[in-house]
């Protein structure tokens, strides 16, 4: 099991001198895009590599980044989660409603919201593993259920976050927003769990080949259920973060952000295989940064928001096509012939 | 490592006859569910049993049924098409822009949007097969491109209007038909698409769709041009999405939201029909029945006075339950 993860990993990496070799390809693209962005924006007369703009870019990564980390975990197991956008809306509402502007309710609200996320993830995981419903349909169904609940109970921004939670989304340590530190911590914790724990190896094994994992004696259902619980909890965190930024919960904050499909796109952009079993958190983080930098460059160039969306679509297709072509090229090369046999 | 073998549907050596019998047995429940819903609707609303009432239902269901047929070809070949909803919007908006200047050019406008749908499908197919982008991501990118492009072009508010003759296909019909009073054109289109799909699935091409979705490597070794077959499936999906757009535009008029969420509804309909995501199993008739079932469900929830908001929740529960039930049957079969 562990050898599989080890032999598969080099395919999705740049071949660079030792030390840099473990960096996913998307980080190379990030460097390139930052360089081009800096050039284009400078010619246009804007500021790019200033501390306030870097802060802006980092701030833009938080909401998508946190949920994309969770989405990476479920996709690695060979599943996926289309319910995160609705869950983000719902947790932003429940969180700020529970806080109701009171500092004393902060901790209960955070606990309740994360528990709600865990519960939704548990149901998703159970439906997928025990009822054997395809993940696409199971989480789409969950998204519809959550949407029904939201639309039946909320029609406008509701509740208010506590003063300190309201500050959380806007506080900085030097040029780095505190919320970015939250995103980084989530990414590091989940990344380490995937690379260093037994559960993490099981995630790669189940995503690589579920049948083989079952025959090897893994409790595959538990692995998938845990992945869904983690994913839904990251969605809850994103919901809480957005509530902090906006001051209250909003019924459409998750769907307007398109976090369901965007998070899946970010994961795949980061080099994780949609079929599961291959990929890493650092790739997803790089992809989220790429999307945020692109967004910032387009904004500075005052590109029409809709044109921006179209360009985004082209970028996603092109990037994934390049991965697929590279993977084929690498497979034909002599270096990994032994590994893939 | 993981893409060497696609899981085969049935043990090797299963004859085609057994395969067909199996797929009928698997798709049968959808017809029972549809029948129950239709009976329930007629109890709630006796008008439903009269020809005009039932035809009105079919007319409402026609666009989704056409979309489901297109999505079926793609899904049974082992892929996804998430771009159909945005393609419906593009169809309606482009037709309205074209017809705004000269309302008489209905036929050219329809030809143009069908061509557009075919081209979008072709691009989806080539991106999936030549560039090897997973269709989930490729068609998701296409969704972003089409949505962005249409909003950019219209600046968020589509202008122009659809001519009367263009809208006839969606809301008009053949008058003075005995018994039926009026036979809506969209029902004619729906029946034609259904018949065409059944004939196509009986032809070599249809069998190749299933073979490619079941095991693309085995199909390739047997001489099927896998990439070409998949591209054709995507082109059909694009064409039928444009056709659904023509029907919906006629029925509902111009709006930039007309196609919102239709891709998920179409996939849901196909899956409700017992077609397995991942390809290789399920019938097109059952997929279309899935679309009718979904529309019947909407109609019934409406009649029962379930609010629009809760409708989503009920729909979600029923979809999960239906697919879980199908999964149990599949295991029992094995």
């Amino acid at each position: 099991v562990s050898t599989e993860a080890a032999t598969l990993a080099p395919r999705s990496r740049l071949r660079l001198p030792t030390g840099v070799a473990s960096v996913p390809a998307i980080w190379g693209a990030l460097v390139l895009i930052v360089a081009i962005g800096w050039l284009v924006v400078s010619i246009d007369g804007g500021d790019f590599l200033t501390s306030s703009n870097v802060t802006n870019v980092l701030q833009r990564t938080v909401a998508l980044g946190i949920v994309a980390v969770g989405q990476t975990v479920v996709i690695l197991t060979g599943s996926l989660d289309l319910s995160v956008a609705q869950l983000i809306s719902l947790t932003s509402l429940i969180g700020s409603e529970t806080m109701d502007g009171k500092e004393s309710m902060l901790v209960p609200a955070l606990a309740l919201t994360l528990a709600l996320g865990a519960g939704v993830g548990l149901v998703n995981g159970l439906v997928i593993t025990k009822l054997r419903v395809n993940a696409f349909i199971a989480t789409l169904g969950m998204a519809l259920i959550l949407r029904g609940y939201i639309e039946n109970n909320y029609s406008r921004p509701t509740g208010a976050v506590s003063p300190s939670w309201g500050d959380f989304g806007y506080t900085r340590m030097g040029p780095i927003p505190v919320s970015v530190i939250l995103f980084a911590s989530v990414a590091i914790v989940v990344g380490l769990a995937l690379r260093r724990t037994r559960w993490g190896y099981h995630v790669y094994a189940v995503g690589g080949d579920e049948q083989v994992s079952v025959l090897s004696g893994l409790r595959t259902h538990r692995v998938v259920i845990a992945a869904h619980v983690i994913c839904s909890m990251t969605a809850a965190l994103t919901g809480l973060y957005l509530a902090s930024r906006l001051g209250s919960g909003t019924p459409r904050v998750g769907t307007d952000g398109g976090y369901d499909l965007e998070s899946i796109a970010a994961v795949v952009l980061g080099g994780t295989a949609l079929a599961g079993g291959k990929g890493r958190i650092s790739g997803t983080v790089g992809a989220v940064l790429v999307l945020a930098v692109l967004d910032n460059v387009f904004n500075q160039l005052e590109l029409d928001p809709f044109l921006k969306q179209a360009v985004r679509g082209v970028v996603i297709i092109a990037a994934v096509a390049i991965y697929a072509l590279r993977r084929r090229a690498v497979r034909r090369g002599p270096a990994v012939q032994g590994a893939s046999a | 490592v993981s893409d060497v073998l696609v899981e085969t549907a049935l043990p090797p050596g299963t004859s085609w006859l057994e395969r067909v019998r199996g797929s009928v047995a698997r798709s049968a429940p959808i017809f029972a569910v549809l029948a129950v819903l239709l009976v329930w609707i007629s109890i709630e609303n006796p008008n439903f049993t009269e020809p005009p009432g039932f035809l009105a239902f079919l007319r409402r269901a026609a666009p989704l049924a056409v979309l489901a047929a297109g999505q079926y070809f793609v899904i049974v070949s082992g892929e996804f098409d998430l771009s159909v909803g945005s393609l419906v919007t593009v169809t309606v908006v482009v037709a309205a822009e074209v017809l705004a200047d000269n309302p008489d050019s209905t036929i050219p406008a329809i030809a143009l949007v069908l061509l557009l749908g075919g081209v979008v499908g072709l691009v989806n197919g080539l991106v999936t097969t030549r560039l090897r982008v997973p269709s989930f991501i490729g068609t998701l990118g296409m969704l972003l491109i089409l949505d962005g492009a249409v909003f950019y072009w219209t600046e968020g508010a589509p202008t122009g209007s659809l001519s009367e003759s263009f809208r006839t296909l969606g809301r008009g019909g053949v008058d003075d038909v005995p018994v039926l009073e009026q036979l809506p054109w969209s029902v004619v289109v729906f029946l034609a698409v259904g018949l065409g799909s059944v004939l196509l699935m009986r032809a070599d091409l249809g069998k190749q769709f299933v073979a490619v979705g079941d095991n693309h490597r085995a199909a390739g070794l047997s001489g099927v041009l896998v990439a070409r077959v998949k591209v054709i499936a995507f082109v059909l999906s694009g064409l039928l999405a444009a056709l659904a757009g023509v029907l919906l535009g006629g029925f509902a008029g111009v709006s930039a939201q007309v196609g919102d969420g239709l891709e998920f509804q179409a996939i849901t309909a196909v899956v409700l029909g017992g077609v397995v995501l991942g390809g290789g199993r399920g019938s097109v008739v059952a997929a279309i029945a899935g679309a009718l079932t979904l529309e019947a469900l909407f109609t019934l929830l409406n009649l029962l006075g379930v609010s629009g908001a809760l409708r989503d929740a009920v729909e979600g529960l029923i979809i999960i339950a239906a697919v879980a039930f199908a999964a149990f049957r599949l295991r029992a079969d094995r």
Side-chain angles (χ1 to χ4, degrees):
Chain A
V1 172
S2 58
T3 52
E4 181 182 39
T7 52
L8 286 174
R11 277 194 201 150
S12 55
R13 288 186 213 154
L14 278 179
R15 285 154 185 261
L16 290 176
T18 40
V20 212
S22 64
V23 178
I26 189 76
W27 286 84
L30 177 64
V31 171
L32 202 68
I33 286 172
V34 168
I36 296 172
W38 173 72
L39 201 69
V40 172
V41 172
S42 302
I43 291 171
D44 198 55
D47 295 325
F48 192 64
L49 290 175
T50 60
S51 89
S52 73
N53 195 48
V54 170
T55 306
N56 274 339
V57 172
L58 289 177
Q59 191 78 63
R60 291 279 306 173
T61 62
V62 177
L64 180 62
I66 294 175
V67 66
V69 166
Q71 190 73 262
T72 310
V73 179
V74 284
I75 289 182
L76 279 175
T77 66
S79 184
L80 94 181
D81 190 346
L82 292 173
S83 67
V84 288
Q86 303 290 353
L87 184 56
I88 287 170
S89 303
L90 182 62
T91 48
S92 84
L93 289 161
I94 302 270
S96 52
E97 213 176 30
T98 312
M99 283 184 218
D100 199 21
K102 295 188 205 78
E103 203 55 56
S104 58
M105 290 305 287
L106 174 61
V107 175
L110 295 183
L112 175 72
T113 312
L114 288 173
L116 173 70
V120 169
L122 183 66
V123 173
N124 279 339
L126 286 173
V127 169
I128 290 165
T129 55
K130 303 300 178 193
L131 298 184
R132 306 228 185 157
V133 176
N134 180 291
F136 187 98
I137 296 296
T139 57
L140 182 61
M142 177 57 85
L144 286 171
I145 294 170
L146 295 177
R147 184 170 83 177
Y149 181 80
I150 292 169
E151 289 190 357
N152 200 40
N153 293 287
Y154 304 94
S155 55
R156 60 177 68 85
T158 308
V161 295
S162 75
S164 68
W165 191 250
D167 291 340
F168 163 77
Y170 290 89
T171 314
R172 288 180 207 159
M173 292 171 69
I176 299 177
V178 175
S179 48
V180 171
I181 297 173
L182 173 70
F183 165 34
S185 324
V186 171
I188 290 169
V189 168
V190 175
L192 284 178
L194 283 174
R195 286 279 149 183
R196 298 262 183 272
T197 68
R198 177 188 300 229
W199 171 78
Y201 280 108
H202 290 179
V203 165
Y204 284 93
V206 171
D209 193 324
E210 187 167 6
Q211 292 294 334
V212 171
S213 308
V214 170
L215 295 174
S216 313
L218 295 192
R219 293 172 185 268
T220 57
H221 286 186
R222 288 188 185 182
V223 177
V224 173
I225 292 168
H228 273 281
V229 168
I230 289 172
C231 179
S232 296
M233 287 178 79
T234 59
L237 264 183
T238 292
L240 286 167
Y241 162 72
L242 288 171
S244 160
R245 291 287 291 182
L246 300 171
S248 63
T250 339
R252 306 196 68 122
V253 68
T255 39
D256 285 348
Y259 290 108
D260 39 6
L261 295 176
E262 292 263 330
S263 63
I264 294 172
V267 171
V268 176
L269 201 55
T272 298
L274 199 52
K278 296 175 211 170
R280 3 179 44 188
I281 295 292
S282 54
T284 301
V285 173
V288 170
L289 279 167
V290 164
L291 290 174
V293 170
L294 278 179
D295 217 42
N296 184 271
V297 171
F298 292 158
N299 278 343
Q300 298 232 19
L301 299 177
E302 289 174 7
L303 205 63
D304 181 282
F306 299 120
L307 193 59
K308 210 167 76 182
Q309 192 189 347
V311 174
R312 222 167 209 224
V314 174
V315 168
I316 290 169
I317 293 180
V320 177
I322 291 169
Y323 281 130
L325 295 175
R326 283 180 77 244
R327 207 164 281 163
R328 262 191 294 173
V330 171
R331 226 174 258 178
R332 286 194 195 124
V336 285
Q337 261 177 7
S340 61
Chain B
V1 173
S2 61
D3 59 350
V4 174
L5 281 175
V6 171
E7 190 199 359
T8 44
L10 292 167
T14 312
S15 77
W16 277 102
L17 187 68
E18 283 173 290
R19 233 165 241 258
V20 168
R21 198 181 292 150
S23 88
V24 168
R26 267 191 292 278
S27 55
I30 191 65
F31 297 106
V33 173
L34 179 58
V36 168
L37 283 174
L38 292 180
V39 170
W40 194 345
I41 293 173
S42 8
I43 293 169
E44 294 292 327
N45 175 15
N47 283 339
F48 194 72
T49 51
E50 304 284 322
F54 188 68
L55 286 175
F57 164 74
L58 281 186
R59 181 163 64 180
R60 261 200 319 281
L64 186 58
V66 170
L67 276 178
Q71 190 72 243
Y72 166 82
F73 297 128
V74 176
I75 288 184
V76 89
S77 323
E79 303 292 342
F80 277 104
D81 190 350
L82 293 179
S83 68
V84 292
S86 56
L87 189 51
V88 165
T89 308
V90 166
T91 302
V92 172
V93 170
V94 167
E97 295 275 343
V98 169
L99 288 167
D101 295 333
N102 38 1
D104 301 326
S105 51
T106 297
I107 303 290
I110 291 178
L112 175 73
V113 294
L114 289 181
L115 180 70
L116 198 63
V119 170
V120 168
L122 181 67
V123 173
N124 281 336
L126 291 177
V127 165
T128 304
T129 56
R130 300 291 166 204
L131 299 183
R132 309 256 175 133
V133 175
S135 53
F136 189 95
I137 296 296
T139 57
L140 167 61
M142 182 58 84
L143 180 159
L144 294 175
I145 294 169
L146 291 178
D147 265 0
V150 87
F151 274 86
Y152 177 64
W153 188 37
T154 62
E155 290 167 344
T159 53
S161 59
L162 298 166
S163 62
E164 275 308 307
S165 51
F166 184 91
R167 295 195 64 171
T168 304
L169 212 49
R171 63 175 178 188
V174 188
D175 289 324
D176 303 324
V177 176
V179 188
L180 303 179
E181 290 173 29
Q182 193 204 39
L183 179 63
W185 281 114
S186 53
V187 175
V188 176
V189 170
F190 161 62
L191 292 174
V193 167
L195 187 65
S197 305
V198 170
L199 292 178
L200 180 62
M201 289 315 289
R202 289 189 176 189
D204 285 353
L205 183 60
K207 287 169 185 157
Q208 290 178 351
F209 285 147
V210 180
V212 165
D214 191 4
N215 186 334
H216 68 92
R217 187 149 298 202
L221 292 174
S222 320
V224 176
L225 299 171
V226 174
R228 185 181 297 177
V229 167
K230 286 195 176 185
V231 170
I232 294 173
F234 276 106
V235 170
L236 282 173
S237 176
L239 278 174
L240 289 173
L243 186 58
V246 172
L247 295 182
L248 261 179
F251 189 70
V254 185
S255 109
Q257 282 81 37
V258 63
D260 280 4
L262 280 181
E263 61 279 352
F264 286 126
Q265 280 190 22
I267 294 173
T268 304
V270 171
V271 172
L272 277 181
V275 180
V276 177
L277 291 181
R281 266 174 282 168
S283 86
V284 68
V285 178
I288 292 174
L292 294 183
T293 306
L294 208 53
E295 202 61 48
L297 183 65
F298 295 151
T299 307
L300 182 64
L301 291 175
N302 230 349
L303 280 174
L304 295 177
V306 177
S307 76
L310 273 183
R311 230 175 63 171
D312 284 332
V314 175
E315 189 194 335
L317 274 176
I318 288 175
I319 291 164
I320 293 178
V323 177
F325 177 72
F328 268 104
R329 282 177 56 92
L330 209 60
R331 260 184 289 175
D333 275 8
R334 281 181 182 170

